[in-house]
Amino acid sequence: MSDYLFRNHKNQPRKASTTTMKDAVYELLNNYKIKNKYDEAHIIQVWGDLMGEEVASRTEGVYIKNHTIFIKISSPPLRTELLMRKTNILDRINHNLGEEKLQEIVFR
C-alpha cells in the first residue's frame, strides 16, 4: 500500500483560482444549456419528499413547462387542499432549488 495515505497532511487553504465542485458542475450545465432540464428532473424527484407520502401516492404526473409546474392529482379533495396551499408549496419548491425557478403551479 502506498505511503501517501499515511503521510502527515496539512490542510492547505484553497487557491484563489480553484472552484468548488458544485460551481464547476453548474457551470458545465449552463455551458451545455441543460441546467433547466436538470432542475426539472430534480423537482420531479423531490416532489414526494417535499409533500409527503400521502400526496406522493396520489400524484399521477409531474412536469414543468415555461416556469410552471403541472401536477396531476388523482384525489379531488386533496387537489382542493393543495390549491389552498399553492403559494406555500411554490415557496417550498423554489427554496429547495435555491432560486426562484417556478412562478406558477397548476393542479389537474
Side-chain angles (χ1 to χ4, degrees):
M1 189 161 213
S2 172
D3 65 333
Y4 177 77
L5 296 174
F6 301 106
R7 288 188 211 157
N8 290 331
H9 292 287
K10 296 179 182 173
N11 289 336
Q12 300 292 329
R14 188 179 318 169
K15 296 178 183 177
S17 63
T18 61
T19 61
T20 63
M21 182 64 93
K22 179 181 176 181
D23 293 339
V25 169
Y26 280 138
E27 184 178 336
L28 178 73
L29 292 172
N30 284 328
N31 286 343
Y32 284 105
K33 296 180 173 76
I34 56 174
K35 185 168 183 330
N36 289 337
K37 290 294 181 186
Y38 172 80
D39 289 341
E40 288 177 13
H42 176 73
I43 292 168
I44 292 167
Q45 180 183 6
V46 299
W47 171 252
D49 295 337
L50 287 174
M51 298 309 298
E53 186 65 32
E54 184 177 328
V55 175
S57 67
R58 289 177 174 82
T59 301
E60 294 180 349
V62 178
Y63 69 95
I64 298 169
K65 185 176 182 180
N66 298 331
H67 302 286
T68 302
I69 184 168
F70 295 88
I71 302 164
K72 186 170 183 182
I73 304 292
S74 62
S75 169
L78 179 62
R79 185 179 322 123
T80 303
E81 182 181 333
L82 293 175
L83 277 169
M84 290 188 288
R85 296 178 19 205
K86 191 171 168 176
T87 56
N88 183 8
I89 295 169
L90 187 63
D91 291 340
R92 288 174 67 184
I93 293 172
N94 282 328
H95 178 73
N96 186 279
L97 281 175
E99 61 180 303
E100 189 112 359
K101 190 75 171 173
L102 298 174
Q103 298 170 352
E104 184 66 36
I105 297 178
V106 176
F107 293 104
R108 295 184 175 182

